[in-house]
Amino acid sequence: MEPEEKKAVALMQQIQALRKDKVARRKDKQEERRAEHRKEKGVIDEKKEAKAKEERREKYRKEGIKRKREEEGAGKGKKPRS
C-alpha cells in the first residue's frame, strides 16, 4: 500500500474503534438505567400487591362481620305467638 493509503486505513480503524467504544459505553449506560427502572418498578409492584392484599383482607373481614350479624339476626327472630 501507499503511505497515504496506510494513513487512511489507520484513520478509519481509529474512527471505528472510537465509535465501537462509544456504542459500548452507551449500551452499558442504558443497561444501568434499565436495571434501576426494574428495581423501582419492583418496589412499586410490591407496594401495590401489599395494598391489594390489605384491601382483600379488609373486604373479607367486613363480609364476615356482615354474615355473622345476619346469622345472629336470623337466630334471634321474633318469638312465635301463643
Side-chain angles (χ1 to χ4, degrees):
M1 276 200 245
E2 296 289 323
E4 290 179 19
E5 290 177 335
K6 286 183 182 181
K7 286 181 183 179
V9 169
L11 182 63
M12 290 299 293
Q13 287 176 342
Q14 289 175 350
I15 291 172
Q16 288 175 347
L18 288 173
R19 183 178 179 280
K20 187 175 179 180
D21 184 54
K22 185 178 178 181
V23 168
R25 281 187 281 136
R26 186 183 303 145
K27 189 174 182 180
D28 289 343
K29 189 70 171 178
Q30 182 69 21
E31 184 55 37
E32 287 178 21
R33 284 191 293 253
R34 284 181 182 157
E36 183 66 27
H37 179 73
R38 277 188 237 115
K39 182 179 175 183
E40 290 173 6
K41 187 164 173 60
V43 170
I44 291 170
D45 287 345
E46 286 176 7
K47 287 181 182 180
K48 282 183 181 179
E49 184 61 34
K51 185 175 179 180
K53 184 176 181 180
E54 183 61 32
E55 287 175 354
R56 285 192 304 268
R57 182 180 291 147
E58 185 66 20
K59 175 184 166 188
Y60 289 127
R61 186 183 72 78
K62 286 181 181 180
E63 284 181 12
I65 290 171
K66 183 179 176 183
R67 191 176 307 129
K68 185 176 179 182
R69 285 185 184 157
E70 288 176 356
E71 289 174 359
E72 288 177 357
K76 293 184 178 181
K78 293 184 179 181
K79 293 182 181 179
R81 294 187 181 173
S82 330

